[in-house]
């Protein structure tokens, strides 16, 4: 694996329940870089709001996204790789994150609503209730052709998904579907 690949910064994105944390941790391990669980940086007020079944607004997410952007920028300035799990549902959120590192890449875990809902129902102890899935799907703006990243089928095994991301890392920074 090249030094450039190990120094890349990635956001593993998608709606709640798609597997961002597991795939992000696996990718970070494969790259030998730090993993940052984006949800761990939500304010207590945001967590309480989601736990109560209320979707976050753009205003609710603003400070959280700026904090994530700062972490990405810090890794870029130090020429360190980083893998971040973050829903990054809207293009403007991704643009804000990318402002911390123009070379930031996204791995979008995508799949059928029924599969994601089943995964959310099976989770124990997570604050995000399945009732918020539809609001996340409504907000989701898929990666666009000019965004560096890869769209992945979340039904593939974690090992396959990490391999797909690593394969895409060897390609020029553009959007791809695997």
């Amino acid at each position: 694996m090249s030094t450039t690949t190990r120094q890349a910064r990635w956001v593993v994105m998608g709606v709640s329940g798609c597997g961002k944390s597991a795939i992000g941790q696996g990718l970070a391990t494969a790259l030998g870089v730090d993993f940052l669980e984006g949800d761990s940086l939500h304010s207590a007020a945001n967590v309480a709001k989601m736990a109560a079944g209320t979707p976050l607004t753009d205003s609710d997410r603003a400070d959280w996204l700026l904090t994530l952007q700062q972490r990405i920028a810090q890794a870029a300035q130090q020429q360190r790789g980083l893998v971040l799990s973050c829903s990054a549902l809207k293009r403007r959120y991704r643009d804000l994150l990318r402002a911390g590192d123009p070379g930031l890449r996204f791995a979008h875990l995508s799949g059928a609503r029924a599969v994601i809902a089943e995964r959310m129902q099976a989770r124990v102890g997570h604050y995000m209730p399945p009732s918020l899935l539809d609001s996340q799907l409504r907000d989701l703006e898929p990666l666009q052709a000019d965004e560096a990243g890869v769209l992945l089928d979340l039904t593939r095994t974690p090992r396959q998904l990490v391999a797909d991301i690593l394969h895409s890392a060897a390609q020029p920074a553009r959007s791809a579907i695997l």
Side-chain angles (χ1 to χ4, degrees):
M1 187 175 314
S2 73
T3 300
T4 303
T5 300
R6 285 191 301 273
Q7 291 177 347
R9 269 106 12 227
W10 282 92
V11 173
V12 179
M13 63 168 281
V15 298
S16 184
C18 70
K20 296 181 297 289
S21 298
I23 302 309
Q25 288 171 338
L27 178 60
T29 298
L31 292 171
V33 302
D34 290 337
F35 172 71
L36 177 59
E37 171 60 64
D39 284 347
S40 71
L41 297 174
H42 269 298
S43 69
N46 280 1
V47 171
K49 191 172 184 178
M50 288 182 282
T54 304
L56 296 180
T57 64
D58 289 350
S59 178
D60 293 328
R61 289 184 177 98
D63 288 341
W64 173 68
L65 288 166
L66 287 173
T67 298
L68 298 177
Q69 179 200 67
Q70 291 167 354
R71 296 287 185 95
I72 292 165
Q74 182 179 40
Q77 290 165 358
Q78 297 172 354
Q79 296 183 335
R80 286 186 300 109
L82 176 70
V83 176
L84 164 69
S85 63
C86 172
S87 55
L89 297 175
K90 297 180 181 181
R91 169 69 187 248
R92 68 177 166 264
Y93 301 166
R94 296 189 298 271
D95 289 344
L96 184 68
L97 296 175
R98 217 177 351 262
D101 175 11
L104 188 64
R105 290 182 177 217
F106 294 85
H108 177 185
L109 301 176
S110 181
R113 183 201 180 283
V115 173
I116 298 167
E118 182 178 308
R119 289 180 177 191
M120 289 181 81
Q121 293 286 351
R123 292 195 301 196
V124 177
H126 197 281
Y127 62 82
M128 178 71 90
S131 62
L132 290 181
L133 178 58
D134 288 331
S135 71
Q136 288 211 326
L137 290 169
R138 267 192 310 276
D139 284 349
L140 179 63
E141 297 172 0
L143 287 175
Q144 296 174 17
D146 64 332
E147 293 184 272
V150 58
L151 178 65
L152 301 158
D153 177 353
L154 61 76
T155 62
R156 291 172 58 82
T157 68
R159 175 178 274 177
Q160 290 170 323
L161 288 167
V162 169
D164 290 344
I165 296 167
L166 293 172
H167 174 75
S168 77
Q171 309 304 313
R174 60 180 173 72
S175 223
I177 298 174
L178 295 178

